[in-house]
Amino acid sequence: MTKQKRFILQEKDIPTQWYNIQAEMPNKPLPPIHPGTKQPLSAEDLAHIFNLECSKQELDTEHAWIDIPEPVLEQYKYYRSTPLVRAYALEEAIGTPAHIYFKNESVNPLGSHKINSALPQCYYCKQEGTTNVTTETGAGQWGAALSYAAKVFGLEAAIYQVKISMQQKPYRSSIMRTFGATVEGSPSMSTRAGKDIITRDPTHPGSLGTAISEAVELATTTPHCKYALGSVLSHVSLHQTIIGLEAEKQMALAGEYPDVVIACFGGGSNFGGIAFPFMRHNFTGEKHTEFIAAEPESCPKLTRGRFEYDFGDEAGYTPLLPMFTLGHDFKPANIHAGGLRYHGAGMIVSQLIKDGYMKGVDIPQSETFQAGLLFSRTEGIIPAPESSHAIAAIIREALKCKETGEEKVLLFNLSGHGLIDMSAYDQYLNGDLHDYALSEEALQQNLSKIPHVL
Ligand SMILES: *Cc1c(COP(=O)(O)O)cnc(C)c1O
């Protein structure tokens, strides 16, 4: 029998609901709270910043399945289902008995999984009478996705892009502008938060934390403008579960079920997207899949952070969120995986780590590029530097199987392609790329700035 490489779902088999893990996880996440009163926030409170429907989804611990609105499904069909691929060539290069599969979220024109949540967020904004959306973006993947989704649903988009990423990846802002969005480097002089940060540190390279502060400020000071977040929050991973729900059906087509599921980790949305639909079978005891989130060694909130209530942004404008954090004004090293340069982990994932349903691994930058190169040269796809963290973690697992002889089924999410990250690959190929391990002293100094609420 010839070996099947790609598993694709017919349009009619694309899932029509998202999976809300909050309804089924054994311990619910602690609620987001107001920084002043320390009281749990309601959906109405969150709706000052976000659209109301996403605010409700954020706090929904009752409904395990949530219908995907018809207009969003129609848009999903432009690029879904995404392929599930068996990485035969990678397996062979490693010499592992493991079966390696990846879900390829890089095949849509925007190049990453972010579009899966940008579409519903813009759809709900439009439904509720919002005219403008604003957001932050690191590497530019989320900004590009939101710019496109805003155009689809007839909204204006204003994007704050992390300054250092804007310099490293200039074509991302071109993409956003092509879809009609306005783009500013963060920290900028156009908001109070941006001005304060620049005054304190004129050479601040920017971070997701600074850009979130600026976008939230714009949303709260502009009529009919809502803020949209591309990661971290629970409603974002909810939308991303389309990845894992498709993958579950596709694994069944392949006649397999994963022993290990891996994704890279910035705030948790692509990880939650691929992992949560499989994890529900661990809750019932029916399956015993291992779940691994791969983070940068230079930004190790899952492996070395502390579980506390902390702000989601640098200026402290957001609600306090219960999460594994490195401290909200942590300044991540300038690694190329811009989408993973964030100080905190989402609330759901933080609870799941505490409860032992998953774990983090941290990976040095050089190892991720080595993995990205091997993947490019075997599977023919140049991965985003973020996604290469997942590939490096998969290679570690595949090598373990090589040692033990186990034929484990390994699945990872290829969150995006790296075709706009070629300057990073050049640096690696020229031998100019550095590792940035976080010193214990710097870690402790940042952790000491977390407000103690717990
Ligand atoms: C944004 C991004 C990430 C990290 O965000 P998560 O919310 O953790 O998924 C990972 N990979 C790519 C390609 C991204 O654009």
Side-chain angles (χ1 to χ4, degrees), residues 105-106 111-114 137-142 172 208 230-233 236-237 240 243 263-273 294 301 337-341 383-388 413-418 421:
E105 289 294 311
S106 83
S112 85
H113 66 290
K114 297 281 192 338
T137 193
Q141 300 271 27
W142 168 242
R172 283 274 161 61
L208 287 171
S231 180
V232 184
L233 292 181
V236 185
S237 5
Q240 294 296 351
I243 302 173
C264 67
F265 197 96
S269 79
N270 94 91
F271 173 83
K301 64 241 176 197
L340 310 186
R341 295 177 71 241
E386 290 87 356
S387 315
S388 293
N413 190 44
L414 184 71
S415 53
H417 69 66
D421 301 283

Side-chain angles (χ1 to χ4, degrees), residues 120-296:
Q121 292 197 50
C122 287
Y123 167 75
Y124 293 130
C125 281
K126 186 69 182 178
Q127 286 295 99
E128 294 170 17
T130 294
T131 55
N132 291 58
V133 282
T134 181
T135 196
E136 79 298 330
T137 193
Q141 300 271 27
W142 168 242
L146 194 78
S147 302
Y148 172 69
K151 196 41 89 187
V152 166
F153 290 110
L155 306 168
E156 299 290 327
I159 315 287
Y160 291 93
Q161 182 172 18
V162 176
K163 213 177 259 172
I164 178 78
S165 297
M166 202 172 195
Q167 290 156 6
Q168 284 172 344
K169 303 170 195 215
Y171 290 126
R172 283 274 161 61
S173 43
S174 320
I175 295 174
M176 296 180 246
R177 293 174 54 222
T178 300
F179 287 123
T182 58
V183 187
E184 276 210 71
S186 172
S188 80
M189 294 298 282
S190 70
T191 63
R192 203 190 70 209
K195 278 183 206 154
D196 286 352
I197 293 163
I198 291 174
T199 307
R200 279 201 309 275
D201 179 358
T203 62
H204 199 303
S207 67
L208 287 171
T210 68
I212 294 174
S213 298
E214 295 204 81
V216 170
E217 182 178 325
L218 185 74
T220 49
T221 54
T222 311
H224 310 296
C225 179
K226 291 294 178 195
Y227 170 65
L229 190 57
S231 180
V232 184
L233 292 181
S234 306
H235 66 269
V236 185
S237 5
L238 169 74
H239 305 151
Q240 294 296 351
T241 57
I242 187 78
I243 302 173
L245 293 166
E246 280 183 4
E248 191 183 1
K249 289 186 170 188
Q250 290 164 308
M251 291 296 300
L253 292 178
E256 307 229 61
Y257 191 91
D259 297 303
V260 184
V261 174
I262 294 181
C264 67
F265 197 96
S269 79
N270 94 91
F271 173 83
I274 193 150
F276 294 168
F278 290 102
M279 204 181 279
R280 74 188 205 271
H281 305 300
N282 277 32
F283 295 152
T284 58
E286 182 194 340
K287 300 284 186 193
H288 304 279
T289 301
E290 204 183 329
F291 297 94
I292 303 174
E295 64 181 3

Side-chain angles (χ1 to χ4, degrees), residues 80 82-85 87 90 101-108 111-114 116 141 240 243 247 261-264 270-271 274 371-372 375-376 379-392 394 411-418 425:
R80 310 205 68 87
T82 65
L84 178 82
V85 185
L90 179 65
Y101 291 85
F102 64 95
K103 179 75 167 152
N104 190 353
E105 289 294 311
S106 83
V107 293
N108 72 75
S112 85
H113 66 290
K114 297 281 192 338
N116 298 329
Q141 300 271 27
Q240 294 296 351
I243 302 173
V261 174
I262 294 181
C264 67
N270 94 91
F271 173 83
I274 193 150
F375 188 74
S376 306
E379 295 296 322
I381 301 169
I382 298 175
E386 290 87 356
S387 315
S388 293
H389 287 71
I391 301 172
I394 275 284
L411 169 65
F412 76 95
N413 190 44
L414 184 71
S415 53
H417 69 66
Y425 278 88

